[in-house]
């Protein structure tokens, strides 16, 4: 009798990749919230001029989102190059030493719990069907048809950071001067609680510690930058 919970468990490589992308998007948005909040709150400690706050916030948003996108593009491009190199090496080995590669695949399948006979038969069938794909997936953990895309990664990071950064930017420039700081702090802490909860759920971790760490880090960042802004504002007065 099959386990009814099995239908709800993500076993596929595609599901794991989607969860990784979603986790990266949450963390990117979280970075956008924290870094932009720290910037605009720091500037608010020095001045209450709306145009100055808007300029600083937009500059931080663009700089941060472009930095995130560029960093992700470089990182994923390196990963993709490594995957291509590994596939090329595997393809060459399959052409030069097919028997050794078949024995290697058999051993890998044995390591997954199959008997020697079943592992050998499975390795033979997989090799006959698509030897490179079999070795890529079993040995390297790579789907040859679904290599990481650096442009997708860069775009996702840019978008996630921008969405996160918009919250503190709007919160600091839209309310009246007397409520500006309070609205920003409360909205940022609420957003950090949400991203902390979401990242904990995606990672199957305890929710409360993740939320408290996220909120605490954001609160410290805003407090430090606000204090620095006030000191710089007082020094320049």
């Amino acid at each position: 009798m099959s386990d009814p919970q099995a239908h709800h468990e993500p076993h596929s490589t595609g599901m794991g990749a989607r969860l990784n992308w979603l986790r990266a998007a949450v963390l990117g948005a979280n970075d956008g919230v924290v870094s932009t909040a720290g910037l605009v709150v720091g500037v608010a400690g020095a001045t209450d001029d709306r145009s100055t706050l808007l300029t600083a916030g937009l500059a931080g948003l663009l700089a941060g989102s472009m930095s995130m996108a560029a960093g992700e593009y470089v990182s994923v491009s390196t990963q993709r190059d490594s995957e291509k190199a590994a596939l090329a090496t595997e393809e060459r080995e399959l052409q030069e030493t097919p028997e050794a590669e078949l024995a290697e695949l058999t051993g890998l399948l044995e390591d997954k719990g199959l008997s020697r006979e079943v592992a050998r038969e499975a390795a033979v069938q997989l090799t006959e069907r698509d030897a490179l794909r079999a070795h890529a997936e079993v040995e390297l953990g790579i789907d040859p048809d679904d290599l990481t895309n650096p442009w997708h990664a860069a775009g996702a990071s840019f978008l996630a950071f921008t969405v996160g950064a918009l919250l503190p930017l709007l919160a600091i420039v839209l309310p009246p001067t007397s409520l500006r700081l309070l609205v920003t702090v409360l909205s940022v802490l609420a957003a950090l609680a949400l991203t902390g909860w979401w990242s904990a759920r995606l990672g199957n971790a305890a929710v409360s510690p993740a939320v408290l760490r996220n909120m605490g880090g954001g609160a410290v960042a805003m407090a430090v930058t606000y204090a620095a802004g006030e000191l710089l504002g007082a020094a320049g007065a």
Side-chain angles (χ1 to χ4, degrees):
M1 184 175 179
S2 63
D3 185 353
Q5 292 183 345
H7 300 291
H8 303 290
E9 297 177 355
H11 295 294
S12 68
T13 302
M15 177 63 74
R18 285 193 292 272
L19 287 176
N20 286 334
W21 277 104
L22 186 55
R23 187 178 294 110
V26 172
L27 294 177
N30 190 81
D31 286 344
V33 171
V34 174
S35 62
T36 306
L39 175 62
V40 297
V41 167
V43 175
T47 179
D48 59 3
D49 182 67
R50 191 185 303 270
S51 63
T52 301
L53 291 170
L54 179 60
T55 300
L58 285 175
L61 184 155
L62 290 173
S65 59
M66 292 301 294
S67 175
M68 287 282 292
E72 196 70 13
Y73 178 83
V74 171
S75 174
V76 175
S77 292
T78 301
Q79 179 183 343
R80 185 183 179 90
D81 291 344
S82 298
E83 291 173 344
K84 285 183 174 180
L87 289 173
T89 299
E90 199 64 40
E91 187 172 21
R92 185 179 66 254
E93 291 175 347
L94 284 168
Q95 293 174 353
E96 296 175 353
T97 56
E99 287 301 322
E101 290 300 300
L102 179 61
E104 182 181 34
L105 183 58
T106 300
L108 290 169
L109 293 173
E110 277 190 277
D111 292 341
K112 292 181 179 293
L114 299 181
S115 67
R116 177 70 180 178
E117 294 75 15
V118 173
R120 176 72 179 186
E121 179 60 26
V124 169
Q125 292 189 24
L126 289 171
T127 299
E128 290 175 349
R129 180 178 300 175
D130 190 333
L132 180 59
R133 174 177 292 278
H135 281 267
E137 294 182 347
V138 177
E139 180 181 349
L140 305 175
I142 297 174
D143 182 350
D145 296 328
D146 189 26
L147 299 181
T148 52
N149 188 312
W151 289 108
H152 290 172
S157 295
F158 180 91
L159 182 61
F161 188 97
T162 299
V163 169
L166 281 173
L167 175 69
L169 176 58
L170 295 176
I172 202 74
V173 299
L174 293 182
T177 303
S178 59
L179 298 176
R180 185 176 292 160
L181 193 59
L182 177 63
V183 170
T184 302
V185 170
L186 292 179
S187 61
V188 165
L189 291 179
L192 293 178
L194 179 61
T195 56
W197 172 85
W198 202 351
S199 61
R201 293 297 300 271
L202 289 173
N204 294 319
V207 171
S208 296
V211 169
L212 292 176
R213 282 195 302 267
N214 221 27
M215 294 177 67
V220 169
M222 288 187 288
V224 169
T225 55
Y226 183 78
E230 277 203 321
L231 288 173
L232 291 173

